[in-house]
Tab-separated table of all heavy atoms in Angstrom:
chain	number	residue	atom	x	y	z
A	1	LYS	N	32.892	82.205	-4.537
A	1	LYS	CA	33.088	80.861	-4.027
A	1	LYS	C	34.439	80.285	-4.480
A	1	LYS	O	34.927	79.346	-3.881
A	1	LYS	CB	31.959	79.969	-4.427
A	1	LYS	CG	30.668	80.334	-3.727
A	1	LYS	CD	29.530	79.354	-4.078
A	1	LYS	CE	28.316	79.780	-3.348
A	1	LYS	NZ	27.222	78.846	-3.568
A	2	ILE	N	35.001	80.897	-5.578
A	2	ILE	CA	36.314	80.441	-6.051
A	2	ILE	C	37.152	81.674	-6.331
A	2	ILE	O	36.651	82.664	-6.941
A	2	ILE	CB	36.169	79.617	-7.351
A	2	ILE	CG1	35.412	78.360	-7.074
A	2	ILE	CG2	37.507	79.339	-8.002
A	2	ILE	CD1	35.121	77.478	-8.327
A	3	THR	N	38.407	81.658	-5.945
A	3	THR	CA	39.359	82.710	-6.243
A	3	THR	C	40.366	82.125	-7.268
A	3	THR	O	40.988	81.087	-7.058
A	3	THR	CB	40.121	83.146	-5.007
A	3	THR	OG1	39.157	83.660	-4.082
A	3	THR	CG2	41.163	84.232	-5.339
A	4	LEU	N	40.488	82.798	-8.436
A	4	LEU	CA	41.444	82.350	-9.419
A	4	LEU	C	42.810	82.960	-9.206
A	4	LEU	O	42.945	84.129	-8.903
A	4	LEU	CB	40.909	82.750	-10.841
A	4	LEU	CG	39.619	82.174	-11.244
A	4	LEU	CD1	39.235	82.714	-12.639
A	4	LEU	CD2	39.645	80.637	-11.272
A	5	LEU	N	43.796	82.119	-9.320
A	5	LEU	CA	45.232	82.505	-9.258
A	5	LEU	C	45.781	82.208	-10.654
A	5	LEU	O	46.409	81.215	-10.906
A	5	LEU	CB	46.003	81.705	-8.205
A	5	LEU	CG	45.436	81.821	-6.754
A	5	LEU	CD1	46.208	80.902	-5.829
A	5	LEU	CD2	45.522	83.257	-6.264
A	6	MET	N	45.517	83.138	-11.593
A	6	MET	CA	45.915	82.944	-12.918
A	6	MET	C	47.411	83.294	-13.157
A	6	MET	O	47.958	84.109	-12.423
A	6	MET	CB	45.081	83.800	-13.891
A	6	MET	CG	43.586	83.512	-13.770
A	6	MET	SD	43.099	81.796	-14.102
A	6	MET	CE	43.372	81.675	-15.859
A	7	ASN	N	48.006	82.656	-14.163
A	7	ASN	CA	49.389	82.918	-14.551
A	7	ASN	C	50.325	82.713	-13.335
A	7	ASN	O	51.201	83.436	-13.099
A	7	ASN	CB	49.520	84.404	-15.036
A	7	ASN	CG	50.702	84.520	-16.001
A	7	ASN	OD1	51.060	83.582	-16.644
A	7	ASN	ND2	51.193	85.721	-16.028
A	8	THR	N	50.039	81.595	-12.610
A	8	THR	CA	50.849	81.224	-11.443
A	8	THR	C	51.550	79.946	-11.780
A	8	THR	O	51.009	79.011	-12.342
A	8	THR	CB	50.026	81.079	-10.180
A	8	THR	OG1	48.923	80.201	-10.388
A	8	THR	CG2	49.462	82.394	-9.711
A	9	ASP	N	52.826	79.830	-11.348
A	9	ASP	CA	53.644	78.657	-11.622
A	9	ASP	C	54.091	78.138	-10.243
A	9	ASP	O	54.774	78.847	-9.509
A	9	ASP	CB	54.776	79.016	-12.497
A	9	ASP	CG	55.303	77.837	-13.308
A	9	ASP	OD1	54.769	76.718	-13.106
A	9	ASP	OD2	56.246	77.996	-14.082
A	10	ILE	N	53.731	76.929	-9.917
A	10	ILE	CA	54.061	76.368	-8.601
A	10	ILE	C	55.485	75.764	-8.656
A	10	ILE	O	55.760	74.934	-9.531
A	10	ILE	CB	53.033	75.289	-8.216
A	10	ILE	CG1	51.668	75.952	-8.009
A	10	ILE	CG2	53.486	74.568	-6.970
A	10	ILE	CD1	50.532	74.967	-7.764
A	11	GLU	N	56.283	76.152	-7.714
A	11	GLU	CA	57.687	75.644	-7.642
A	11	GLU	C	57.675	74.362	-6.828
A	11	GLU	O	58.343	73.398	-7.208
A	11	GLU	CB	58.574	76.653	-6.971
A	11	GLU	CG	60.014	76.205	-6.928
A	11	GLU	CD	60.958	77.295	-6.403
A	11	GLU	OE1	60.684	78.469	-6.674
A	11	GLU	OE2	61.904	76.955	-5.697
A	12	LYS	N	56.982	74.397	-5.670
A	12	LYS	CA	56.948	73.181	-4.836
A	12	LYS	C	55.755	73.153	-3.905
A	12	LYS	O	55.162	74.218	-3.673
A	12	LYS	CB	58.251	72.991	-4.077
A	12	LYS	CG	58.540	74.120	-3.089
A	12	LYS	CD	59.860	73.874	-2.368
A	12	LYS	CE	60.235	75.059	-1.484
A	12	LYS	NZ	61.471	74.811	-0.777
A	13	VAL	N	55.453	72.014	-3.378
A	13	VAL	CA	54.394	71.843	-2.417
A	13	VAL	C	55.040	71.072	-1.227
A	13	VAL	O	55.764	70.127	-1.480
A	13	VAL	CB	53.257	70.978	-2.987
A	13	VAL	CG1	52.168	70.753	-2.003
A	13	VAL	CG2	52.650	71.696	-4.228
A	14	GLU	N	54.795	71.570	-0.006
A	14	GLU	CA	55.454	70.973	1.106
A	14	GLU	C	54.504	70.989	2.336
A	14	GLU	O	53.590	71.777	2.397
A	14	GLU	CB	56.787	71.667	1.463
A	14	GLU	CG	56.567	73.169	1.743
A	14	GLU	CD	57.884	73.911	1.825
A	14	GLU	OE1	58.935	73.404	1.331
A	14	GLU	OE2	57.893	75.074	2.232
A	15	ALA	N	54.825	70.148	3.291
A	15	ALA	CA	54.025	70.095	4.523
A	15	ALA	C	54.380	71.327	5.357
A	15	ALA	O	55.470	71.817	5.357
A	15	ALA	CB	54.366	68.817	5.312
A	16	SER	N	53.325	71.836	6.040
A	16	SER	CA	53.487	73.002	6.920
A	16	SER	C	52.611	72.726	8.136
A	16	SER	O	51.493	73.267	8.194
A	16	SER	CB	53.192	74.267	6.224
A	16	SER	OG	53.362	75.401	7.133
A	17	GLY	N	53.068	71.952	9.077
A	17	GLY	CA	52.216	71.510	10.199
A	17	GLY	C	51.065	70.668	9.651
A	17	GLY	O	51.317	69.717	8.963
A	18	GLU	N	49.866	71.070	9.977
A	18	GLU	CA	48.716	70.299	9.524
A	18	GLU	C	48.249	70.812	8.133
A	18	GLU	O	47.262	70.281	7.581
A	18	GLU	CB	47.548	70.500	10.498
A	18	GLU	CG	47.829	69.900	11.889
A	18	GLU	CD	47.860	68.369	11.818
A	18	GLU	OE1	47.017	67.757	11.123
A	18	GLU	OE2	48.744	67.866	12.477
A	19	LYS	N	48.911	71.814	7.552
A	19	LYS	CA	48.475	72.379	6.300
A	19	LYS	C	49.484	71.976	5.172
A	19	LYS	O	50.483	71.387	5.431
A	19	LYS	CB	48.398	73.893	6.423
A	19	LYS	CG	47.371	74.308	7.455
A	19	LYS	CD	46.713	75.591	7.053
A	19	LYS	CE	45.674	75.915	8.118
A	19	LYS	NZ	44.377	76.021	7.514
A	20	VAL	N	49.148	72.421	3.996
A	20	VAL	CA	50.000	72.247	2.820
A	20	VAL	C	50.474	73.611	2.352
A	20	VAL	O	49.660	74.510	2.123
A	20	VAL	CB	49.245	71.529	1.659
A	20	VAL	CG1	50.124	71.353	0.461
A	20	VAL	CG2	48.658	70.195	2.155
A	21	ARG	N	51.767	73.773	2.268
A	21	ARG	CA	52.326	75.069	1.764
A	21	ARG	C	52.672	74.909	0.301
A	21	ARG	O	53.364	74.048	-0.114
A	21	ARG	CB	53.568	75.391	2.554
A	21	ARG	CG	54.141	76.705	2.235
A	21	ARG	CD	55.367	77.030	3.144
A	21	ARG	NE	55.585	78.367	3.210
A	21	ARG	CZ	56.782	78.940	3.038
A	21	ARG	NH1	57.822	78.173	2.838
A	21	ARG	NH2	56.963	80.216	3.073
A	22	VAL	N	52.111	75.893	-0.446
A	22	VAL	CA	52.403	75.945	-1.910
A	22	VAL	C	53.373	77.141	-2.130
A	22	VAL	O	53.027	78.281	-1.705
A	22	VAL	CB	51.119	76.142	-2.730
A	22	VAL	CG1	51.450	76.367	-4.152
A	22	VAL	CG2	50.212	74.949	-2.533
A	23	VAL	N	54.485	76.910	-2.730
A	23	VAL	CA	55.474	77.932	-3.004
A	23	VAL	C	55.444	78.197	-4.499
A	23	VAL	O	55.640	77.249	-5.298
A	23	VAL	CB	56.873	77.510	-2.563
A	23	VAL	CG1	57.908	78.613	-2.911
A	23	VAL	CG2	56.900	77.230	-1.039
A	24	PHE	N	55.154	79.420	-4.876
A	24	PHE	CA	55.108	79.835	-6.291
A	24	PHE	C	56.487	80.287	-6.741
A	24	PHE	O	57.322	80.763	-5.962
A	24	PHE	CB	54.045	80.904	-6.495
A	24	PHE	CG	52.694	80.459	-6.107
A	24	PHE	CD1	52.181	80.787	-4.836
A	24	PHE	CD2	51.877	79.796	-7.036
A	24	PHE	CE1	50.910	80.373	-4.488
A	24	PHE	CE2	50.635	79.399	-6.662
A	24	PHE	CZ	50.133	79.658	-5.370
A	25	LYS	N	56.740	80.173	-8.038
A	25	LYS	CA	58.051	80.576	-8.587
A	25	LYS	C	58.341	82.033	-8.458
A	25	LYS	O	59.494	82.434	-8.514
A	25	LYS	CB	58.160	80.110	-10.051
A	25	LYS	CG	58.347	78.645	-10.144
A	25	LYS	CD	58.655	78.192	-11.533
A	25	LYS	CE	58.882	76.703	-11.616
A	25	LYS	NZ	59.166	76.187	-12.963
A	26	ASP	N	57.266	82.871	-8.240
A	26	ASP	CA	57.540	84.328	-8.039
A	26	ASP	C	57.930	84.676	-6.609
A	26	ASP	O	58.059	85.823	-6.216
A	26	ASP	CB	56.332	85.143	-8.481
A	26	ASP	CG	55.116	84.916	-7.630
A	26	ASP	OD1	55.167	84.202	-6.611
A	26	ASP	OD2	54.057	85.515	-7.937
A	27	GLY	N	58.047	83.645	-5.720
A	27	GLY	CA	58.465	83.818	-4.342
A	27	GLY	C	57.362	83.846	-3.296
A	27	GLY	O	57.569	83.691	-2.149
A	28	ARG	N	56.138	84.031	-3.823
A	28	ARG	CA	54.987	83.984	-2.917
A	28	ARG	C	54.733	82.634	-2.423
A	28	ARG	O	55.097	81.624	-3.072
A	28	ARG	CB	53.683	84.472	-3.580
A	28	ARG	CG	53.719	85.958	-3.926
A	28	ARG	CD	52.353	86.314	-4.585
A	28	ARG	NE	52.076	85.543	-5.728
A	28	ARG	CZ	50.896	85.055	-6.034
A	28	ARG	NH1	49.840	85.363	-5.315
A	28	ARG	NH2	50.704	84.352	-7.172
A	29	SER	N	54.061	82.468	-1.291
A	29	SER	CA	53.643	81.157	-0.823
A	29	SER	C	52.243	81.348	-0.108
A	29	SER	O	51.940	82.397	0.357
A	29	SER	CB	54.618	80.523	0.168
A	29	SER	OG	54.749	81.264	1.328
A	30	MET	N	51.524	80.277	-0.113
A	30	MET	CA	50.171	80.244	0.524
A	30	MET	C	50.029	78.915	1.218
A	30	MET	O	50.560	77.921	0.783
A	30	MET	CB	49.043	80.442	-0.477
A	30	MET	CG	49.158	81.773	-1.172
A	30	MET	SD	47.845	81.922	-2.479
A	30	MET	CE	46.394	82.190	-1.482
A	31	GLU	N	49.228	78.870	2.246
A	31	GLU	CA	48.932	77.625	2.971
A	31	GLU	C	47.487	77.236	2.760
A	31	GLU	O	46.601	78.093	2.774
A	31	GLU	CB	49.276	77.699	4.456
A	31	GLU	CG	50.770	77.850	4.693
A	31	GLU	CD	51.126	77.750	6.166
A	31	GLU	OE1	50.204	77.685	7.018
A	31	GLU	OE2	52.320	77.724	6.456
A	32	PHE	N	47.253	75.926	2.603
A	32	PHE	CA	45.908	75.396	2.358
A	32	PHE	C	45.669	74.123	3.190
A	32	PHE	O	46.588	73.503	3.653
A	32	PHE	CB	45.799	74.982	0.830
A	32	PHE	CG	46.051	76.125	-0.104
A	32	PHE	CD1	47.312	76.324	-0.664
A	32	PHE	CD2	45.044	77.009	-0.409
A	32	PHE	CE1	47.552	77.387	-1.515
A	32	PHE	CE2	45.247	78.083	-1.263
A	32	PHE	CZ	46.499	78.281	-1.850
A	33	ASP	N	44.424	73.852	3.367
A	33	ASP	CA	44.009	72.606	4.074
A	33	ASP	C	44.210	71.411	3.245
A	33	ASP	O	44.680	70.347	3.660
A	33	ASP	CB	42.563	72.689	4.558
A	33	ASP	CG	42.342	73.781	5.597
A	33	ASP	OD1	43.143	73.893	6.521
A	33	ASP	OD2	41.334	74.491	5.465
A	34	TYR	N	43.875	71.566	1.893
A	34	TYR	CA	43.936	70.468	0.927
A	34	TYR	C	44.467	71.011	-0.400
A	34	TYR	O	44.224	72.150	-0.737
A	34	TYR	CB	42.616	69.781	0.726
A	34	TYR	CG	41.933	69.331	1.991
A	34	TYR	CD1	40.976	70.111	2.605
A	34	TYR	CD2	42.298	68.084	2.491
A	34	TYR	CE1	40.358	69.652	3.781
A	34	TYR	CE2	41.695	67.640	3.673
A	34	TYR	CZ	40.713	68.463	4.316
A	34	TYR	OH	40.135	67.977	5.436
A	35	VAL	N	45.088	70.151	-1.152
A	35	VAL	CA	45.556	70.518	-2.467
A	35	VAL	C	45.140	69.393	-3.413
A	35	VAL	O	45.409	68.215	-3.123
A	35	VAL	CB	47.112	70.705	-2.541
A	35	VAL	CG1	47.545	70.875	-4.016
A	35	VAL	CG2	47.501	71.866	-1.739
A	36	PHE	N	44.480	69.711	-4.501
A	36	PHE	CA	44.106	68.752	-5.525
A	36	PHE	C	44.893	69.046	-6.823
A	36	PHE	O	44.909	70.206	-7.267
A	36	PHE	CB	42.556	68.796	-5.806
A	36	PHE	CG	41.712	68.436	-4.648
A	36	PHE	CD1	41.346	69.421	-3.751
A	36	PHE	CD2	41.331	67.157	-4.419
A	36	PHE	CE1	40.591	69.079	-2.647
A	36	PHE	CE2	40.536	66.814	-3.339
A	36	PHE	CZ	40.166	67.789	-2.458
A	37	TYR	N	45.495	68.045	-7.403
A	37	TYR	CA	46.241	68.207	-8.604
A	37	TYR	C	45.378	67.837	-9.802
A	37	TYR	O	44.770	66.739	-9.812
A	37	TYR	CB	47.427	67.283	-8.625
A	37	TYR	CG	48.508	67.647	-7.620
A	37	TYR	CD1	48.507	67.041	-6.368
A	37	TYR	CD2	49.549	68.490	-7.932
A	37	TYR	CE1	49.466	67.288	-5.440
A	37	TYR	CE2	50.536	68.791	-6.992
A	37	TYR	CZ	50.463	68.165	-5.755
A	37	TYR	OH	51.428	68.458	-4.853
A	38	CYS	N	45.346	68.641	-10.790
A	38	CYS	CA	44.682	68.358	-12.065
A	38	CYS	C	45.793	68.587	-13.092
A	38	CYS	O	46.128	69.681	-13.483
A	38	CYS	CB	43.499	69.304	-12.357
A	38	CYS	SG	42.216	69.170	-11.116
A	39	LEU	N	46.417	67.452	-13.496
A	39	LEU	CA	47.687	67.514	-14.206
A	39	LEU	C	47.599	67.322	-15.694
A	39	LEU	O	48.620	67.436	-16.359
A	39	LEU	CB	48.667	66.492	-13.598
A	39	LEU	CG	48.912	66.644	-12.120
A	39	LEU	CD1	49.704	65.446	-11.600
A	39	LEU	CD2	49.642	67.922	-11.849
A	40	GLY	N	46.444	67.080	-16.207
A	40	GLY	CA	46.348	66.883	-17.656
A	40	GLY	C	46.760	65.460	-18.075
A	40	GLY	O	46.688	64.517	-17.345
A	41	GLY	N	47.208	65.359	-19.287
A	41	GLY	CA	47.510	64.069	-19.895
A	41	GLY	C	48.731	63.335	-19.403
A	41	GLY	O	48.773	62.125	-19.305
A	42	ARG	N	49.748	64.091	-19.015
A	42	ARG	CA	50.966	63.480	-18.499
A	42	ARG	C	51.387	64.014	-17.188
A	42	ARG	O	51.412	65.256	-17.020
A	42	ARG	CB	52.130	63.726	-19.493
A	42	ARG	CG	51.913	63.022	-20.847
A	42	ARG	CD	53.070	63.241	-21.786
A	42	ARG	NE	54.353	63.005	-21.158
A	42	ARG	CZ	55.498	63.394	-21.619
A	42	ARG	NH1	55.552	64.069	-22.766
A	42	ARG	NH2	56.617	63.179	-20.987
């Protein structure tokens, strides 16, 4: 029910049509319907 993407560093998040494109610092990218940020204390 959940896929973990461990040791991943997000470079940027951008619109991609009706989806959200997440670009990782290693050059990979993935598209999602929704993105939720859990950012910690700051």
Side-chain angles (χ1 to χ4, degrees):
K1 294 184 176 183
I2 296 176
T3 300
L4 297 178
L5 303 173
M6 302 302 288
N7 207 28
T8 53
D9 206 357
I10 296 172
E11 182 174 326
K12 64 182 173 177
V13 177
E14 59 191 13
S16 180
E18 296 292 317
K19 299 213 177 241
V20 180
R21 183 175 202 230
V22 175
V23 178
F24 299 95
K25 288 188 177 178
D26 67 3
R28 292 182 302 141
S29 66
M30 297 176 76
E31 290 188 356
F32 301 96
D33 295 317
Y34 305 98
V35 172
F36 296 89
Y37 293 91
C38 299
L39 302 171
R42 293 182 46 196

